[in-house]
Amino acid sequence: MAKKKETTNKVRAVDFSKYIRWFWILFVSGILVFILLFLLASWGALGEMPDHTRLENPETNLATEIISSDGKTLGKFYFNDNRTPVAYEDLPEHLVNALIATEDIRYYKHSGIDSRGTLRALLGGGGGASTITQQLAKQLFTKQVSKNKFERAFQKVKEWVIAIRLERQYTKEEIITQYFNIYDFGNYGDGIRSAARIYFNKEPQDLDIKESAMLVGMFKNSSFYNPRAHRNPIGTRNRRNVVLAQMHKYGFISKEVMDSLQKTELDLSYTPESHDKGIATYFREYLRSFMKEWVNQEKNKKPDGSKYNINSDGLKVYTTIDSRMQAYAEKAVEQHMPRLQAEFDHQNTPKRNPTAPFLELEQPEIDKLLKDGMRRGERWRILREQGKSTKEIEASFYEPVPMTIFKWIDGKPDEVDTVMKPIDSMRYYKSFLRPGMMSMDPKTGHVKAWVGGMDYKHFKYDMVKQGKRQVGSTFKPFVYATAIDQLQLSPCDSFPRSPITIEAEKYGNPEPWTVKNSDGNYSGIQTLKDALASSTNTVTARLMNEIGPQPVVEMAEKLGVEQEILPVPAIALGTPDLSVYEMVAAYSTFANKGVYNKPVMVTRIEDKNGTVLYQFTPESKDVLSEEVAYVTVNLMQGVTEGGSGTRLRHNWAVNQIEYKEIITGYPYEFDNPIAGKTGTTQNHSDGWFMGMVPNLVTGVWVGAEDRAAHFKTINYGQGASMALPIWGLYMKACYEDEALGVSKDEFEEPSNLSINIDCSVVSNDEEPEDTNLEDDIEDFSDF
């Protein structure tokens, strides 16, 4: 019995040792296979592996960033990836802590692979096995995650190998930074910087704990844990609270902080970074054209001879736009335009005007105008490319379709969904008054603000540089400056208001040109200063008769006017179509003591590594003597002291009770020196105001797309009602922001001034009768 028991024990010992042997064989074999897989992966046998160069410079698309003069991001150019990388120093500590607590608490203790976490996951112990480094490797080098388990296993091995290499290549801080920069948070939030700006309208370093926790929570699945209301705000909030709990678990925040933050809402400040939205949209679109032209120049190519891609090469474009002044300009437009539009709509109801918004047009003319608009539109182009016939395309304009249209709602630009015939939508959009505005430092040529319209998504046409409209009386200072330059006139020199006819053929006129004053007053005489202040047409025509149109055309060209101007006498009253851009540049020459500075929008361009690729070179030229420029400015000061710009002064709005507050009752209360000129074209189609202080020149135009759409009367149709209020609101905001340093000083008088500007002796004519309704509507009927 004892022998049998002993034999049985020996058999069991042999069997046990057999199992142990097989265990070690399998264990060692598994390790060898694991090592072999690692070797095969590192050799590229399991698929292409990134070499040292790709590890050093991973292939990621980076958006081009547009940066303001005060260091703010105005917008970006990108195609699919709205990514702008940040440095580790830009990441707040609690953001990094949230990531480590949630994704990889042993991050600083492993070298790319957490063996403990991997073993725990294999044994079913819960928790993720992937380290932050492995997740980065997956983001960078796994283009498509395989759904096949065996293929996914091979991908995992490759990611482990890459993770180890990344740990050798980069510091822990650099790996975390890359992970934050590479991740897609949805809604074009590519990388932490875009995500912070889009979801919270903040830079990453300004994120608080709960905001950081929400963004880290999105790493689990940004498509599912998306905070937008139509996605999963509740799930996103719950996931954020899990991150906060993890932060408490590992000692990054106290229980009290966790409890209080978990009770809060997400508190988003959703600010989409699209090409149609945000600040300075019209300027950004101008800049896109500038950049396309720049990258196509041979001298601007990459070292390898290829062209820079403005959507993916991570360029940084430093501009002259001041984000604060741009915001004030856009706010001024937003304050004034809804009020002006409300009055325009009130005057153009179908009952008041059956052809609204058009005046003086018969129905056949309106039909032709709309038909011409059809052929120029995007809808026509798309249907034509689809092979539709002209008849089919025209018919489609009379079929109701769902659409989203622009509308002012509670004084804000907004959208409404509706069903409308495309032909009716065309007429609807033609009923809107549109603004154009540019502001520039005359001493440097730096453009500070650029507002090409009120909503880029719905009104693509830029009314700063693209749009050119009749300038009316804002052209008169060019005539006055030329006359002062050639004839050495003084602001105190007097001219009769009586009618004047410039004979045919004298200056190339096909027939005699008789000039009229809009107020019908032709008696007495006026000093040049009073004549410009009240915009007396006959006095301006007399100056033109003395000097001729050709010198005025040449003066305009020297002042930066790019549009070709026909040298005929009628240009004295503002017949040329010019842009806001040209007018601001020209007026800046007067403020800059006769020196023209070409407007500057871009100061430099850098590549993604900070290498300077472009540095602007100032372009300037002497146009006028300092004396003539100063005298011209002095003349224009009279416009705001006793002419059509008087409503800028502190007591104007209080006294003008006959004007509705909806348009003109803005209390500007300026008491500093301001030079300027209003302009109103025939039929009140275009309203202008050009305003200057010593270090800032700003031009504003307001009008409809078609000249046939306009106010019936001068009360609202003049430049002082349509355009001047935007200038006043903008400048008031600029002055309130003292950090901008906008001048309230006098214009500097030349030391050798020989022309008399002291008109203390009042002219024989009475003071201008009407300082509120401007007398600058031009009559071109005889031209």
Side-chain angles (χ1 to χ4, degrees):
M1 190 71 180
K3 273 187 176 183
K4 187 175 180 181
K5 187 174 182 180
E6 183 179 345
T7 301
T8 301
N9 289 338
K10 287 181 178 180
V11 171
R12 287 176 177 173
V14 170
D15 290 341
F16 186 69
S17 65
K18 178 181 177 181
Y19 291 138
I20 292 175
R21 185 170 64 252
W22 276 107
F23 169 79
W24 284 108
I25 290 172
L26 291 173
F27 181 76
V28 172
S29 297
I31 292 176
L32 291 174
V33 169
F34 195 70
I35 293 172
L36 180 62
L37 282 174
F38 261 81
L39 291 172
L40 290 172
S42 63
W43 294 335
L46 300 183
E48 183 184 1
M49 293 288 286
D51 58 16
H52 175 80
T53 303
R54 286 185 64 195
L55 287 175
E56 187 72 37
N57 297 289
E59 294 177 4
T60 55
N61 291 331
L62 302 178
T64 287
E65 187 177 8
I66 306 163
I67 303 170
S68 70
S69 61
D70 55 322
K72 304 295 183 182
T73 298
L74 296 174
K76 301 176 187 176
F77 296 139
Y78 61 91
F79 185 63
N80 287 320
D81 296 331
N82 176 25
R83 181 174 291 105
T84 303
V86 297
Y88 182 79
E89 293 73 25
D90 297 320
L91 304 175
E93 184 179 10
H94 48 255
L95 179 67
V96 175
N97 292 341
L99 178 66
I100 291 172
T102 308
E103 300 288 335
D104 190 358
I105 192 59
R106 289 173 41 80
Y107 176 68
Y108 290 107
K109 298 179 181 179
H110 62 69
S111 299
I113 300 175
D114 183 2
S115 56
R116 184 187 301 178
T118 302
L119 183 61
R120 183 178 64 247
L122 290 174
L123 295 177
S130 292
T131 64
I132 291 173
T133 316
Q134 287 173 252
Q135 293 177 49
L136 175 61
K138 176 183 173 182
Q139 290 284 329
L140 289 173
F141 301 108
T142 301
K143 295 180 180 179
Q144 182 67 46
V145 175
S146 177
K147 295 181 180 180
N148 183 287
K149 291 184 178 180
F150 292 103
E151 290 181 357
R152 180 60 191 142
F154 287 143
Q155 287 181 336
K156 272 284 189 184
V157 173
K158 288 173 61 179
E159 289 166 8
W160 286 341
V161 174
I162 295 170
I164 292 172
R165 291 182 177 179
L166 287 172
E167 289 275 351
R168 292 174 180 171
Q169 191 85 21
Y170 298 102
T171 66
K172 289 288 187 179
E173 289 75 16
E174 289 172 333
I175 289 170
I176 277 185
T177 305
Q178 283 196 59
Y179 189 43
F180 273 116
N181 283 331
I182 197 65
Y183 192 76
D184 180 0
F185 291 86
N187 298 307
Y188 293 106
D190 300 301
I192 189 64
R193 177 139 190 264
S194 295
R197 288 168 56 85
I198 288 171
Y199 291 118
F200 298 108
N201 197 23
K202 291 182 176 182
E203 292 297 326
Q205 62 263 36
D206 299 322
L207 293 169
D208 61 28
I209 294 176
K210 72 173 186 176
E211 293 164 347
S212 297
M214 190 206 86
L215 293 174
V216 167
M218 294 178 72
F219 277 110
K220 187 174 180 66
N221 186 334
S222 61
S223 296
F224 182 75
Y225 296 108
N226 191 304
R228 295 299 310 285
H230 62 285
R231 297 289 182 87
N232 189 10
I234 297 176
T236 305
R237 184 172 181 266
N238 292 338
R239 178 62 186 165
R240 178 205 67 182
N241 289 348
V242 169
V243 175
L244 291 170
Q246 288 293 105
M247 294 180 74
H248 166 60
K249 177 181 177 181
Y250 293 110
F252 292 116
I253 58 174
S254 67
K255 187 176 187 305
E256 291 75 21
V257 171
M258 178 192 72
D259 290 340
S260 64
L261 292 180
Q262 285 183 337
K263 295 175 184 176
T264 63
E265 298 299 324
L266 294 176
D267 295 329
L268 298 180
S269 178
Y270 185 64
T271 311
E273 290 193 335
S274 71
H275 303 305
D276 289 342
K277 298 294 183 182
I279 194 170
T281 47
Y282 290 90
F283 172 76
R284 281 154 43 195
E285 200 54 33
Y286 158 78
L287 191 62
R288 186 191 302 277
S289 299
F290 175 92
M291 290 301 297
K292 284 181 178 178
E293 183 178 334
W294 182 83
V295 299
N296 283 324
Q297 294 176 6
E298 190 69 27
K299 63 181 180 179
N300 297 326
K301 288 186 177 180
K302 295 180 183 179
D304 63 4
S306 63
K307 295 179 182 178
Y308 284 99
N309 188 319
I310 65 172
N311 293 313
S312 60
D313 277 338
L315 301 175
K316 291 186 182 295
V317 184
Y318 292 86
T319 72
T320 61
I321 298 294
D322 187 295
S323 69
R324 298 159 296 181
M325 298 174 79
Q326 180 69 31
Y328 299 150
E330 293 181 9
K331 180 66 175 177
V333 166
E334 193 176 293
Q335 283 181 268
H336 179 62
M337 291 306 297
R339 290 173 147 187
L340 189 68
Q341 187 67 47
E343 180 61 31
F344 185 76
D345 292 342
H346 174 70
Q347 294 185 20
N348 280 282
T349 60
K351 184 177 180 180
R352 291 170 176 262
N353 177 19
T355 61
F358 309 111
L359 298 173
E360 298 101 23
L361 290 186
E362 301 294 333
Q363 194 58 49
E365 296 174 296
I366 296 173
D367 292 340
K368 183 179 183 305
L369 186 151
L370 294 175
K371 193 168 184 177
D372 290 343
M374 284 184 194
R375 295 176 179 273
R376 294 193 301 267
E378 186 74 3
R379 181 183 183 85
W380 187 284
R381 183 188 66 79
I382 292 172
L383 293 177
R384 177 65 77 191
E385 289 177 354
Q386 294 175 357
K388 302 289 185 182
S389 66
T390 299
K391 185 176 181 181
E392 289 174 316
I393 297 174
E394 288 183 353
S396 73
F397 278 84
Y398 295 88
E399 298 173 1
V401 294
M403 62 177 67
T404 301
I405 60 172
F406 172 85
K407 191 173 184 179
W408 290 109
I409 299 179
D410 297 328
K412 303 287 185 182
D414 210 331
E415 295 178 327
V416 293
D417 294 326
T418 187
V419 175
M420 187 182 287
K421 296 176 184 177
I423 189 71
D424 291 336
S425 73
M426 289 178 57
R427 193 161 185 160
Y428 173 77
Y429 279 111
K430 287 180 181 293
S431 71
F432 279 95
L433 298 172
R434 306 180 183 189
M437 175 182 181
M438 188 176 112
S439 192
M440 171 176 150
D441 183 340
K443 300 178 186 300
T444 62
H446 288 192
V447 175
K448 295 298 182 180
W450 178 306
V451 184
M454 54 207 176
D455 187 276
Y456 181 73
K457 180 178 180 180
H458 294 279
F459 303 93
K460 293 282 197 256
Y461 200 67
D462 175 27
M463 291 308 302
V464 168
K465 203 165 192 299
Q466 283 181 299
K468 295 178 185 287
R469 295 297 287 258
Q470 208 168 68
V471 293
S473 287
T474 56
F475 194 85
K476 288 178 179 176
F478 301 167
V479 179
Y480 277 67
T482 307
I484 293 168
D485 187 39
Q486 290 197 356
L487 307 176
Q488 290 296 295
L489 296 176
S490 161
C492 309
D493 288 333
S494 298
F495 287 80
R497 291 172 57 107
S498 58
I500 176 175
T501 296
I502 297 180
E503 299 300 326
E505 306 302 332
K506 180 174 182 181
Y507 294 116
N509 267 8
E511 56 187 37
W513 182 52
T514 300
V515 181
K516 303 173 183 177
N517 289 329
S518 60
D519 62 359
N521 182 4
Y522 300 97
S523 62
I525 62 173
Q526 281 186 305
T527 64
L528 287 184
K529 193 162 189 176
D530 286 344
L532 187 63
S534 60
S535 210
T536 306
N537 294 339
T538 52
V539 172
T540 308
R542 290 183 185 281
L543 294 177
M544 177 62 79
N545 194 38
E546 290 288 328
I547 58 178
Q550 186 59 43
V552 178
V553 170
E554 292 172 0
M555 173 66 73
E557 289 175 352
K558 292 176 184 177
L559 292 170
V561 172
E562 300 167 353
Q563 183 72 23
E564 183 178 353
I565 299 176
L566 189 66
V568 294
I571 64 173
L573 305 187
T575 56
D577 286 3
L578 304 178
S579 67
V580 173
Y581 173 90
E582 292 171 293
M583 292 297 288
V584 171
Y587 270 66
S588 292
T589 306
F590 299 131
N592 194 37
K593 303 179 180 180
V595 178
Y596 168 82
N597 281 319
K598 185 175 181 179
V600 179
M601 282 71 77
V602 177
T603 55
R604 74 180 187 277
I605 301 171
E606 295 178 357
D607 68 11
K608 63 182 180 181
N609 299 315
T611 302
V612 176
L613 306 175
Y614 165 84
Q615 193 89 32
F616 95 99
T617 303
E619 295 183 39
S620 61
K621 60 184 177 182
D622 292 334
V623 175
L624 295 164
S625 69
E626 184 177 347
E627 183 178 38
V628 172
Y630 178 77
V631 172
T632 306
V633 168
N634 181 265
L635 282 168
M636 286 189 279
Q637 284 183 264
V639 174
T640 68
E641 293 166 356
S644 54
T646 310
R647 60 186 65 186
L648 290 171
R649 296 306 175 184
H650 59 86
N651 62 348
W652 188 88
V654 176
N655 295 333
Q656 306 307 311
I657 57 175
E658 69 271 22
Y659 282 86
K660 294 182 181 178
E661 183 181 355
I662 194 171
I663 300 299
T664 55
Y666 297 111
Y668 309 110
E669 299 180 342
F670 298 126
D671 55 10
N672 55 288
I674 298 171
K677 188 70 189 81
T678 53
T680 308
T681 58
Q682 196 173 26
N683 295 333
H684 330 129
S685 297
D686 303 277
W688 290 80
F689 183 71
M690 305 296 301
M692 305 187 295
V693 295
N695 65 349
L696 195 65
V697 176
T698 304
V700 183
W701 166 89
V702 173
E705 176 184 346
D706 295 287
R707 288 182 169 91
H710 56 80
F711 281 106
K712 290 182 179 180
T713 66
I714 190 174
N715 281 20
Y716 293 100
Q718 60 179 295
S721 293
M722 291 208 291
L724 180 144
I726 294 175
W727 191 95
L729 291 166
Y730 166 69
M731 288 297 292
K732 189 171 183 180
C734 287
Y735 279 133
E736 288 173 354
D737 189 342
E738 295 181 0
L740 295 176
V742 178
S743 175
K744 289 188 175 182
D745 297 333
E746 296 277 357
F747 290 90
E748 186 177 348
E749 181 178 317
S751 57
N752 59 343
L753 182 65
S754 61
I755 298 175
N756 176 38
I757 61 170
D758 181 10
C759 305
S760 55
V761 179
V762 180
S763 65
N764 294 334
D765 192 23
E766 67 237 46
E767 291 293 319
E769 295 177 2
D770 194 352
T771 62
N772 307 315
L773 296 178
E774 67 176 319
D775 186 13
D776 66 348
I777 300 179
E778 315 312 346
D779 190 335
F780 308 133
S781 57
D782 295 326
F783 170 58

